[in-house]
Amino acid sequence: MSEISHRRIVIGDVHGHYDGLMALLENIALTSEDEIYFLGDLIDRGPQSAQVVNFVKDNNYPCLLGNHEQMLLNILTSQERSSATMQAWLYSGGQATVASYKSATIPQEHLEWFKNLPVFLDLGDVWLAHAGVDPRKSVEEQTAEELCWIRDDFHSLEAPYFTDKMIIVGHTITFTIPGVAPGQLAQGQGWVDIDTGAYHPRSGWLTGLDVANKVVYQANVFNRNFRSLPLEEAVAIIDPTEIRGSRRHKQRA
């Protein structure tokens, strides 16, 4: 499997698994020429959210706002927060995030960093978003809510949203989409989902996709296994007509 020296690697939802992320990057064997991008959801569920945020932030890696960072911001910076929204975040993994910080206090510098995360990145031939896009709206009309949370309307696209670029997303664990096995990526009309469910006991795979060479790198956060394979061997092709008819891919935030 031949590769060019310059790699552009997009990493899916880490969800607080710092050790797993380090194992992935160690096996990828980064060079100074490689570019690394994160799709958001660095935090929640896993035990080391603070360490993940520090690593991505301190290395100035481009990172998107995920719905879990958005939930945290809504709770800690909104004047209209309620006990219900707080409980929803804690239930969705926020308790592990709080526990990962010293004195259970999330520093202001992290909150400010979250506030300034973009909701999409246009890299020319690929376009990054945490969850997807609303197919009924132009890029200019997309909101943070849609880009961070959308599922069915995006996954059931019957034609690519862009004619000249691929959309790469996370957010929805791939094996919750019909026809996708744990660890597989999912590819639909003009999009690829690389959230292979690092935190989930059915999977454990954290994925990095080298979009320049179409190579998939995966480290398992539970057993530290590592594998790399061509994108065409790692991906399941999705039939958009099956998405709306199935509710099996419903998942928690």
Side-chain angles (χ1 to χ4, degrees), residues 13 17 173-176 180-185 194-207 218-225 227:
D13 306 32
H17 281 282
I173 296 177
T174 54
F175 71 71
T176 66
V180 185
Q184 281 188 304
L185 281 62
I194 68 170
D195 178 9
T196 43
Y199 77 90
H200 201 289
R202 283 190 59 196
S203 176
W205 291 106
L206 175 62
T207 293
Q218 295 183 313
N220 194 288
V221 307
F222 300 127
N223 58 30
R224 297 297 184 268
N225 286 341
R227 62 191 183 192

Side-chain angles (χ1 to χ4, degrees), residues 96 123 170 179:
L123 304 183

Side-chain angles (χ1 to χ4, degrees), residues 101-122:
Y101 284 91
K102 293 181 179 179
S103 304
T105 301
I106 300 175
Q108 188 63 33
E109 64 176 314
H110 280 200
L111 295 177
E112 290 299 323
W113 186 74
F114 292 148
K115 286 180 183 178
N116 289 297
L117 293 177
V119 289
F120 70 86
L121 287 170
D122 188 344

Side-chain angles (χ1 to χ4, degrees), residues 192-253:
V192 175
D193 182 351
I194 68 170
D195 178 9
T196 43
Y199 77 90
H200 201 289
R202 283 190 59 196
S203 176
W205 291 106
L206 175 62
T207 293
L209 169 61
D210 174 9
V211 298
N213 300 283
K214 294 182 171 55
V215 176
V216 174
Y217 300 99
Q218 295 183 313
N220 194 288
V221 307
F222 300 127
N223 58 30
R224 297 297 184 268
N225 286 341
F226 176 80
R227 62 191 183 192
S228 64
L229 59 164
L231 175 60
E232 61 185 15
E233 296 180 14
V235 70
I237 305 301
I238 304 306
D239 181 352
T241 64
E242 295 183 1
I243 298 294
R244 290 189 179 278
S246 171
R247 309 313 298 170
R248 184 174 67 84
H249 63 295
K250 283 289 188 180
Q251 67 179 62
R252 294 182 298 170

Side-chain angles (χ1 to χ4, degrees), residues 134-146:
D134 185 333
R136 298 161 295 190
K137 297 182 178 181
S138 68
V139 170
E140 294 74 21
E141 294 172 318
Q142 304 290 330
T143 67
E145 189 76 11
E146 291 154 349

